[in-house]
């Protein structure tokens, strides 16, 4: 750093100082999947994204399984969430978090109820999740 400059001088002029995402209602991913609701917070769609993607989920006596090309971290806000991956199972309560690493199939279930925040790692190539399975418990 040269005399008369500060670390703040390097902030790009075209970058907004605050990113804001307005609240949206939670919805069922599919009409027939009545015990799983979600809302995407950021980005606007899950086609591809830099940085991270953030969403909120609810499971009520339901289970969900899918393959992610990116990591997925879940932070439980309410209830109890079970996560299984490659034979390892963890049980999360409010305030607990766990990550399923990229390239693996994760199975998530709430015998009664769980509400959580999901944080997906970067997906700049737009690779799609697949192997979706939904079931009611």
């Amino acid at each position: 750093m040269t005399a008369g400059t500060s670390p703040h001088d390097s902030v790009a002029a075209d970058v907004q100082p605050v990113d804001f995402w307005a609240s949206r209602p939670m919805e069922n991913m599919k009409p027939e999947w009545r015990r799983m609701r979600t809302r995407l917070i950021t980005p606007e769609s899950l086609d591809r994204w830099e940085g991270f993607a953030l969403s909120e989920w609810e499971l009520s006596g339901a289970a969900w399984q899918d393959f992610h090309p990116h990591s997925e971290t879940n932070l439980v806000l309410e209830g109890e969430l079970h996560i299984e991956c490659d034979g390892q199972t963890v049980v999360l309560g409010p305030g607990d978090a766990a990550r399923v690493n990229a390239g693996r199939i994760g199975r998530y279930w709430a015998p009664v109820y769980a509400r959580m925040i999901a944080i997906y790692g970067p997906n700049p190539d737009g690779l799609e999740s697949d192997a979706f399975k939904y079931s009611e418990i």
Side-chain angles (χ1 to χ4, degrees):
M1 187 166 14
T2 60
T5 65
S6 80
H8 305 290
D9 293 338
S10 64
V11 175
D14 61 339
V15 175
Q16 295 295 318
V18 175
D19 292 325
F20 171 78
W21 301 281
S23 179
R24 299 179 196 169
M26 297 233 299
E27 298 177 350
N28 295 79
M29 283 187 66
K30 291 187 175 183
E32 62 270 23
W33 296 354
R34 295 186 308 263
R35 295 185 185 181
M36 181 174 74
R37 298 180 342 127
T38 186
R39 73 179 179 103
L40 183 60
I41 299 169
T42 181
E44 293 291 322
S45 77
L46 290 179
D47 293 336
R48 65 181 63 237
W49 62 90
E50 302 286 339
F52 67 93
L54 186 63
S55 60
E56 181 180 7
W57 292 83
E58 282 184 331
L59 292 172
S60 297
W64 170 256
Q65 174 181 299
D66 61 347
F67 170 82
H68 284 285
H70 48 76
S71 66
E72 177 179 338
T73 302
N74 281 275
L75 170 65
V76 174
L77 302 174
E78 296 178 62
E80 181 179 280
L81 178 67
H82 298 239
I83 301 175
E84 188 276 327
C85 181
D86 292 346
Q88 180 183 1
T89 301
V90 295
V91 179
L92 288 71
D96 293 335
R99 178 177 56 229
V100 172
N101 291 304
R104 301 181 185 272
I105 292 177
R107 182 170 186 264
Y108 311 84
W109 71 97
V112 178
Y113 174 79
R115 184 169 69 94
M116 55 278 196
I117 296 293
I119 305 159
Y120 300 155
N123 191 11
D125 297 325
L127 302 174
E128 291 187 33
S129 296
D130 62 16
F132 298 127
K133 289 184 183 176
Y134 167 85
S135 60
E136 295 181 358
I137 300 171

